[in-house]
Amino acid sequence: MTEPIDSPDNTHLKDSERWIVRNGVGVQIMETLAVGAFLTALAVQLGAPNWMIGALAAIPHIAQVAQVPALWTVERLRKRRMIYLISGMIARPMLLVIAVAAVVYTGMQALWLILLAFAIRYAAGAFLSCSWNSWMRDLVPDAEMGRLFSNRQQKMIGVGILFSLLAAAFIDLWKQFSGLPTEYAYATVYTLAFIGGSYSVICARKIFEPVMEPSHAHIISHLRAPFANRNYRRLISFLASWNFAVNLAAPFFTVYMLKRLEYELTLVIAFATLSQIASFLTVRYWGSIADHFSNKVVLATCCPVFILSIFAWTFTTLPEPHGFTIPLLILIHIATGFAVAGVNLASGNIALKLAPIGGSTAYLASSSMVNATAAGIAALLGGIAVDLFSSWELGLTIHWQSEANNLQLEAMNFSHWDFFFLFSTLVGLYSLHRLSLVEEKGQVQEPQTHIMTDYKNREIHLTSRPNGLPVPENFGLIETNVSSDDGDVLLKNIYMSVDPAMRPPLTNGQTKLDEPMMGGAIGKVLHSSNPDHAVGSYVIHRAGFREYHVSDSSDLRTITLQDEPLSTHLHVLGGTGLTAYGGLLVTGELKDSENVFVSAAAGAVGSVVCQIAKIKGCRVAGSCGSQEKVDYLLNELGIDYAFNYKTQDIRKSLREGLPNGIDVYFENVGGEHLDAACGQMRPLGRIPVCGMISAYNNKGARSEGVTTLSNMIYNRVTMKGFVVYEFEHLREQFLTDMRKWIAAGQMKYSETIMQGIEQAPAALIGLLKGENTGKMLVQLSEDL
């Protein structure tokens, strides 16, 4: 098993594909033998009441509440393959517990143990699915999803057909010839399910894992994000209503055939196999249609067929089985298999496709939780209500009488199970309405009747990965078109931020090749369908490096201007200032009159840190890379000591500037700066680590030349990294303090502004070379 890779390419995908398919084969063996018809048949064999069958059907869905801790775990550890493997080692052995329960215990005692084992299995399975979905979203390109996952699903269906037939025949033959309790046959089947599930976990070890993009938002913010996205919220609404409709009836198809129609398990499995064959023969076609058109096209075709198939179950008895029951069941299962292949493929793929790359974990986890809750509630309601429906009956009889004939025809008869199928059909029809509201990029749109405005847009793409300091050839200026009809809000970007933290993603794969780069920006709203973002208002967002941005509103934060220039909300009054404020006062635990050293002191963050420290009565020393910046720090910002690290010895300068040692070292540079500062830290000193720009151009962003870390031991020095998201709760107090300090002349700022989108790469390169004083910005347009 390898560590997550920085930048997966087609070779990694090709090498992983066979293991993705083999993983699916193992999962299918497990699911075929452990759930569905075999689980229901085992429950019936043990004498389960209907409510227990409903509870067993609901457990896989209810257990998905574990998606919340699973999401936290994935975002915290950011090693999805490791989480998948550990979760698998917890979940798969529960199948052996079920096998033991079937032979050691009887009746409700066995059923309660099985219920508990299933709950543990699916709670661990929530961690499996959360890590797997995010993993596949980042590994498999949109254009390959239909092909790859239809191939995987086709092989899974084929294996499912084989194992379901063999297992059903094995159980029926066991009943006839073994002389031992049938529960022993089920125990054997569940042992084979355990082997299949274990194989799937082994295969997952061979699949490449891309590095996850860093995200430091609170888990609540993660969970809110999918619901703030209007289109993804609509998708969740469709999937929830669909899963409710399906799971209201589907868990009882097997019970209906075993109990109501009194069919043998072999015949029941034969019908299921017929459905699987139909899926096997059609799933590749659905994958091709999804890739060439859209997943929504597939859903809009298959969902109505599935709903009609559910409704057709009501005609299998009128009110008793009749001569057309078996032919009708054959047609139902063929149509269901045809529809299920498309629905399962397209519903999974559209959830993956509409989730943002690098931030898909929360989207997919939230979707899974809502859908599972809907499915679980439906199964529980079905299990509870099945006995209530046993006394219900609704019939329609056509009676024709003449002198020659007296004809009476039973046109419709709803009783007991039929009401499940009817209610499921009605909810399914509602879900089709919810599907119509979902928008998928790539689908054929109906002609628009409202006015649409198009804009010529230019954006910066990363075209090759830099080796060391980036060069202009690593970037490309690409022309595109954007439309006011593409999202909730259309923005014209005015300023964009250029930050040192942009450098590592260029190499580690978080910034994708041939896609727009990301970075903080301020935009003005040109068109809006969201009342929270009125036309003419200003917003901050992460889609810099382009002239226009179309947003679904989830990534926007409104700016409230007072007397300050607009650009200050990208530095002294924005994330840069909040980074300095929280990093120094919270992480650095600054106390009045301490000794503070700031590296990169003339930069955007460093210059703000220096001034906050002075406001708090501290002695401040700062390093920078030119005499001009030394003068700026001493004469403009008024710090106590400044030196040019390119021409002066860092250790000697620190001894001169802070002869009593360092209480707080605000770390922006790393390398020799960190080495020198560690050697001069005072007891109980603190090192808040904001960045290490000296390492950003190194392979793997490795910091070099640090030999004095042992000084931290006896001086009990604390060194702690931080990110600006930790201080979001301080934003209002930060703005109040910062505006007060600016008005009093205690907080000054400097801007280095380059003009035009074409200068964005040069701005980033210049920043990394230390050519800026204060905040590096690119002005993309005039604020008209």
Side-chain angles (χ1 to χ4, degrees):
M1 183 175 68
T2 59
E3 288 295 310
I5 54 177
D6 287 341
S7 182
D9 53 27
N10 289 335
T11 302
H12 292 117
L13 180 61
K14 185 176 180 181
D15 291 341
S16 297
E17 183 170 344
R18 66 180 182 274
W19 295 107
I20 293 173
V21 172
R22 291 173 185 176
N23 166 272
V25 168
V27 169
Q28 186 64 39
I29 293 171
M30 176 183 66
E31 293 297 319
T32 298
L33 301 180
V35 295
F38 291 104
L39 175 61
T40 304
L42 173 59
V44 171
Q45 178 70 30
L46 293 171
N50 287 320
W51 67 264
M52 175 61 80
I53 293 174
L56 286 170
I59 279 292
H61 309 297
I62 295 173
Q64 294 304 304
V65 70
Q67 290 274 352
V68 174
L71 169 61
W72 182 88
T73 303
V74 170
E75 292 292 342
R76 179 86 172 182
L77 300 182
R78 315 192 75 74
K79 292 187 176 182
R80 294 164 289 193
R81 178 170 48 202
M82 181 188 73
I83 295 169
Y84 184 94
L85 297 178
I86 294 174
S87 302
M89 288 187 283
I90 296 172
R92 302 321 192 216
M94 291 300 105
L95 298 171
L96 294 179
V97 174
I98 295 170
V100 171
V103 298
V104 174
Y105 301 97
T106 59
M108 290 302 296
Q109 195 175 18
L111 287 166
W112 279 113
L113 183 56
I114 290 171
L115 191 71
L116 176 62
F118 258 83
I120 296 172
R121 181 201 168 197
Y122 281 102
F127 287 77
L128 279 165
S129 63
C130 185
S131 55
W132 175 266
N133 290 336
S134 172
W135 182 2
M136 291 301 104
R137 177 64 183 105
D138 290 354
L139 178 63
V140 183
D142 290 353
E144 294 289 327
M145 281 186 182
R147 179 196 62 79
L148 192 156
F149 288 115
S150 64
N151 175 43
R152 180 178 189 258
Q153 190 169 326
Q154 186 180 50
K155 288 180 170 58
M156 290 171 67
I157 294 169
V159 167
I161 292 170
L162 175 64
F163 275 81
S164 61
L165 287 174
L166 290 175
F170 170 73
I171 291 171
D172 282 342
L173 289 171
W174 184 284
K175 291 178 182 178
Q176 295 178 35
F177 301 110
S178 74
L180 295 173
T182 306
E183 287 82 357
Y184 282 71
Y186 284 106
T188 303
V189 168
Y190 272 87
T191 301
L192 292 174
F194 164 74
I195 294 172
S198 299
Y199 175 72
S200 71
V201 174
I202 293 170
C203 292
R205 295 179 71 252
K206 303 289 187 178
I207 302 172
F208 284 99
E209 178 191 2
V211 171
M212 284 184 69
E213 291 190 14
S215 175
H216 308 284
H218 191 273
I219 188 170
I220 300 301
S221 300
H222 280 298
L223 292 172
R224 285 175 179 168
F227 301 100
N229 183 317
R230 183 179 65 172
N231 194 43
Y232 211 85
R233 186 169 66 243
R234 289 173 172 175
L235 175 65
I236 290 174
S237 178
F238 156 66
L239 292 173
S241 57
W242 176 259
N243 278 284
F244 185 92
V246 170
N247 285 277
L248 190 62
F252 300 97
F253 289 157
T254 299
V255 181
Y256 177 78
M257 288 188 284
L258 290 172
K259 287 189 171 182
R260 178 70 181 85
L261 301 180
E262 299 182 344
Y263 291 161
E264 291 293 329
L265 179 61
T266 302
L267 181 58
V268 173
I269 296 299
F271 282 128
T273 301
L274 186 63
S275 183
Q276 291 175 316
I277 291 172
S279 294
F280 179 84
L281 295 175
T282 56
V283 66
R284 285 287 188 98
Y285 295 102
W286 294 130
S288 177
I289 291 171
D291 284 341
H292 286 86
F293 297 96
S294 72
N295 293 290
K296 187 176 174 183
V297 169
V298 175
L299 290 169
T301 304
C302 294
C303 287
V305 175
F306 195 104
I307 292 169
L308 288 174
S309 298
I310 293 175
F311 185 65
W313 280 86
T314 61
F315 297 99
T316 56
T317 55
L318 288 171
E320 298 298 325
H322 48 79
F324 292 101
T325 296
I326 288 182
L328 181 57
L329 285 171
I330 290 173
L331 290 175
I332 288 172
H333 281 85
I334 291 174
T336 300
F338 166 90
V340 164
V343 171
N344 288 349
L345 177 71
S347 60
N349 283 0
I350 195 172
L352 286 172
K353 186 176 179 181
L354 297 186
I357 294 176
S360 61
T361 309
Y363 280 72
L364 298 170
S366 297
S367 175
S368 295
M369 281 189 294
V370 173
N371 299 334
T373 300
I377 291 172
L380 283 175
L381 287 176
I384 293 170
V386 65
D387 294 325
L388 172 66
F389 290 153
S390 64
S391 61
W392 290 20
E393 185 171 358
L394 175 66
L396 175 64
T397 301
I398 299 176
H399 186 198
W400 169 263
Q401 184 172 355
S402 65
E403 292 182 2
N405 296 295
N406 186 359
L407 179 65
Q408 186 167 301
L409 177 64
E410 189 88 34
M412 181 184 72
N413 184 282
F414 286 167
S415 63
H416 200 182
W417 302 97
D418 297 333
F419 287 102
F420 280 109
F421 310 141
L422 176 61
F423 293 148
S424 177
T425 300
L426 295 175
V427 178
L429 291 173
Y430 170 75
S431 73
L432 293 181
H433 163 66
R434 302 307 309 176
L435 174 62
S436 68
L437 302 177
V438 178
E439 300 173 1
E440 180 185 3
K441 185 178 180 181
Q443 73 185 77
V444 178
Q445 299 284 349
E446 294 296 322
Q448 302 292 327
T449 58
H450 57 279
I451 297 175
M452 195 169 54
T453 307
D454 292 323
Y455 294 86
K456 294 291 184 182
N457 178 47
R458 295 185 299 167
E459 54 193 31
I460 299 296
H461 288 205
L462 181 68
T463 57
S464 61
R465 301 209 177 276
N467 182 15
L469 184 71
V471 295
E473 290 73 22
N474 295 133
F475 308 93
L477 182 62
I478 307 300
E479 290 190 1
T480 63
N481 290 321
V482 298
S483 170
S484 60
D485 194 55
D486 289 340
D488 290 346
V489 179
L490 173 66
L491 309 171
K492 183 176 184 180
N493 283 334
I494 299 172
Y495 291 102
M496 60 164 277
S497 176
V498 183
D499 302 290
M502 294 174 175
R503 173 60 186 89
L506 303 184
T507 302
N508 67 21
Q510 293 169 8
T511 297
K512 305 298 183 183
L513 291 175
D514 301 315
E515 293 184 10
M517 293 176 59
M518 303 297 289
I522 293 175
K524 189 172 187 176
V525 178
L526 299 183
H527 297 273
S528 177
S529 60
N530 188 328
D532 293 335
H533 302 295
V535 172
S537 62
Y538 299 100
V539 295
I540 284 183
H541 56 93
R542 292 289 302 158
F545 288 96
R546 70 206 75 188
E547 293 176 315
Y548 293 90
H549 173 50
V550 179
S551 171
D552 62 7
S553 300
S554 64
D555 61 336
L556 306 181
R557 179 169 59 83
T558 300
I559 297 172
T560 302
L561 284 175
Q562 295 186 7
D563 297 327
E564 66 269 9
L566 180 63
S567 62
T568 58
H569 285 268
L570 282 176
H571 52 96
V572 68
L573 292 178
T576 299
L578 185 57
T579 298
Y581 185 89
L584 182 62
L585 301 181
V586 179
T587 307
E589 300 177 10
L590 182 71
K591 302 176 181 65
D592 292 354
S593 304
E594 288 192 313
N595 299 303
V596 178
F597 171 45
V598 184
S599 56
V605 173
S607 60
V608 177
V609 172
C610 287
Q611 294 176 88
I612 295 176
K614 287 303 298 178
I615 290 169
K616 299 297 182 180
C618 298
R619 178 173 176 83
V620 181
S623 70
C624 56
S626 70
Q627 186 58 44
E628 180 184 3
K629 293 180 180 180
V630 169
D631 295 339
Y632 170 72
L633 291 171
L634 295 173
N635 301 327
E636 291 293 322
L637 303 189
I639 72 172
D640 301 284
Y641 186 86
F643 64 93
N644 180 355
Y645 73 90
K646 294 180 180 179
T647 60
Q648 296 172 255
D649 182 79
I650 300 175
R651 285 183 175 81
K652 182 179 178 181
S653 297
L654 286 178
R655 285 194 294 268
E656 292 178 358
L658 298 172
N660 294 323
I662 303 168
D663 293 298
V664 177
Y665 167 40
F666 196 94
E667 169 68 294
N668 288 310
V669 175
E672 294 182 27
H673 278 74
L674 179 58
D675 189 53
C678 278
Q680 299 185 45
M681 295 299 297
R682 288 166 55 83
L684 302 180
R686 287 86 64 202
I687 306 177
V689 182
C690 178
M692 291 193 175
I693 194 171
S694 69
Y696 289 167
N697 290 319
N698 296 341
K699 185 175 181 180
R702 295 184 178 90
S703 187
E704 299 174 350
V706 182
T707 62
T708 58
L709 290 177
S710 60
N711 186 55
M712 297 174 64
I713 300 171
Y714 296 108
N715 282 328
R716 292 151 294 160
V717 175
T718 301
M719 183 174 179
K720 183 179 179 182
F722 67 90
V723 289
V724 68
Y725 306 105
E726 298 175 38
F727 313 127
E728 192 61 38
H729 64 288
L730 300 175
R731 184 173 291 278
E732 292 304 318
Q733 183 61 49
F734 154 73
L735 288 172
T736 299
D737 288 344
M738 196 63 71
R739 284 180 169 131
K740 178 182 67 176
W741 294 335
I742 291 173
Q746 295 175 289
M747 180 64 63
K748 301 175 183 178
Y749 57 85
S750 179
E751 300 174 330
T752 301
I753 302 178
M754 303 185 75
Q755 300 293 326
I757 184 70
E758 61 276 0
Q759 293 298 318
L764 178 57
I765 295 169
L767 174 77
L768 296 173
K769 292 167 67 175
E771 295 176 353
N772 63 299
T773 299
K775 181 65 179 179
M776 177 69 86
L777 299 169
V778 178
Q779 185 167 3
L780 302 175
S781 66
E782 295 291 334
D783 182 14
L784 301 178

